[in-house]
């Protein structure tokens, strides 16, 4: 089962996979043409997922205690090196590296039905709350805008002046999650369900109209450096699990 992935440098993709009926998931790196697969992590911890990449470093979540939802955010090298904790054994999830590599945004759950986005320096210092009632952070490529999810809709935070804007306007029984902004900042993708259709929706950032719908696709989508292509998890065949696909 392959899902929850991050774009790696030089046309590579990083993903999480549990294999051979194992409950232990590991991180792997693979070329965009499906060759050269290599395991990155080598431990018996149950869950390692949600990787985010900056150059040759990757930050990811490692589940420490499934019952208490305790998890750590760890840094490691794609091609070897020591693993270093950034956040240890907290209710944290979904780390996202800024594109200049200086900051890591992540979800924090301080209590029941509470969800916040926090930011920490990549060296583990200056940990602070950025957005209340929010999850699924996504940096713009210029690091001046952050998309996020609130009440199953996609929002945008202007990091320069602090203003927030609602980008989708779905009502009850509809879903919009996991936003991803294109490299040119003109369009954004998100996982959604609307009028019984589930998949990846692509919308214009200015007029917020849906431009395209990709069925059989879901979970977290990641833009390549070419704004025409998205890497996402797809279910193309029944009983085959999820596959990593590149779609335009």
């Amino acid at each position: 089962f392959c899902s929850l992935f991050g774009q790696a440098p030089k046309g590579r993709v990083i993903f999480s996979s549990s294999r051979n009926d194992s409950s232990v998931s590991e991180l792997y790196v693979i070329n965009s043409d499906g060759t050269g697969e290599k395991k990155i992590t080598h431990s018996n911890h149950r869950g390692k997922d949600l990787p985010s990449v900056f150059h040759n470093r990757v930050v990811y979540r490692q589940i420490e205690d499934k019952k208490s939802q305790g998890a750590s955010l760890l840094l490691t090298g794609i091609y070897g090196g020591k693993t270093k904790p950034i956040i240890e054994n907290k209710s944290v999830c979904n780390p996202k590296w800024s594109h200049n590599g200086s900051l890591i945004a992540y979800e924090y759950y301080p209590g029941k039905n509470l969800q916040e986005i926090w930011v920490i320096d990549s060296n583990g210092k200056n940990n602070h709350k950025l957005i209340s009632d929010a999850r699924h952070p996504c940096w713009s490529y210029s690091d001046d805008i952050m998309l996020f999810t609130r009440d199953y809709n996609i929002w945008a935070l202007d990091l320069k002046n602090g203003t927030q804007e609602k980008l989708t306007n779905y009502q009850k029984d509809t879903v919009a999650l996991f936003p991803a902004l294109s490299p040119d900042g003109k369009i954004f993708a998100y996982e959604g369900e609307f009028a019984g259709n589930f998949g990846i929706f692509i919308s214009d950032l200015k007029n917020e109209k849906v431009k395209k719908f990709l069925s059989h696709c879901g979970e977290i989508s990641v833009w390549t450096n070419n704004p025409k292509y998205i890497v996402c998890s797809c279910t193309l065949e029944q009983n085959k699990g999820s596959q990593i696909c590149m779609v335009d």
Side-chain angles (χ1 to χ4, degrees):
F1 178 76
C2 302
S3 63
L4 306 173
F5 37 78
Q7 185 183 356
K10 298 180 180 178
R12 297 182 176 93
V13 173
I14 291 182
F15 62 94
S16 172
S17 178
S18 56
R19 300 178 173 181
N20 301 320
D21 298 322
S22 172
S23 61
V24 176
S25 62
E26 301 286 0
L27 299 185
Y28 297 79
V29 61
I30 193 170
N31 296 325
S32 58
D33 62 2
T35 64
E37 182 182 294
K38 180 182 177 181
K39 186 187 289 188
I40 297 174
T41 56
H42 303 267
S43 72
N44 290 322
H45 278 272
R46 288 179 58 86
K48 287 171 284 295
D49 57 20
L50 302 165
S52 180
V53 178
F54 177 72
H55 291 317
N56 291 327
R57 293 187 293 167
V58 56
V59 59
Y60 62 96
R61 178 184 70 161
Q62 177 170 279
I63 298 173
E64 307 290 356
D65 187 335
K66 198 170 184 179
K67 290 184 178 180
S68 68
Q69 296 184 337
S72 298
L73 300 184
L74 304 178
L75 276 177
T76 193
I78 295 176
Y79 306 109
K82 293 183 178 180
T83 299
K84 168 175 126 171
I86 294 292
I87 302 288
E88 293 189 86
N89 205 17
K90 302 274 189 181
S91 294
V92 293
C93 188
N94 201 24
K96 293 292 182 182
W97 222 309
S98 64
H99 289 276
N100 65 13
S102 64
L103 300 171
I104 297 171
Y106 65 93
E107 297 172 30
Y108 174 54
Y109 297 85
K112 187 176 181 180
N113 298 323
L114 295 175
Q115 50 199 20
E116 301 169 345
I117 292 176
W118 284 57
V119 172
I120 189 170
D121 293 348
S122 58
N123 60 9
K125 298 179 180 179
N126 193 27
N127 190 29
H128 62 280
K129 183 170 69 173
L130 181 65
I131 315 173
S132 298
D133 189 22
R135 54 185 178 149
H136 307 153
C138 169
W139 301 89
S140 67
Y141 274 62
S142 55
D143 292 327
D144 58 353
I145 294 174
M146 178 173 288
L147 302 191
F148 62 93
T149 302
R150 173 183 290 151
D151 295 330
Y152 298 108
N153 276 283
I154 307 302
W155 291 66
L157 168 67
D158 188 318
L159 293 168
K160 293 181 179 179
N161 59 33
T163 59
Q164 297 182 15
E165 179 185 1
K166 193 175 184 180
L167 300 181
T168 62
N169 194 28
Y170 294 135
Q171 305 300 318
K172 189 177 180 180
D173 299 327
T174 59
V175 172
L177 305 167
F178 296 112
L181 190 60
S182 65
D184 58 13
K186 294 181 179 180
I187 54 179
F188 65 100
Y190 57 93
E191 176 187 336
E193 183 178 5
F194 178 66
N197 296 311
F198 183 83
I200 299 294
F201 292 78
I202 299 176
S203 296
D204 189 285
L205 190 65
K206 290 185 177 180
N207 59 31
E208 297 142 29
K209 291 183 179 180
V210 175
K211 297 168 66 71
K212 186 180 288 189
F213 169 70
L214 306 173
S215 62
H216 307 294
C217 299
E219 300 195 0
I220 301 174
S221 56
V222 180
W223 288 95
T224 67
N225 290 330
N226 185 336
K228 293 182 179 180
Y229 296 97
I230 295 176
V231 180
C232 62
S233 177
C234 300
T235 304
L236 301 178
E237 300 178 63
Q238 288 187 344
N239 303 320
K240 291 288 187 180
S242 294
Q243 299 170 300
I244 293 176
C245 303
M246 186 178 294
V247 294
D248 59 13

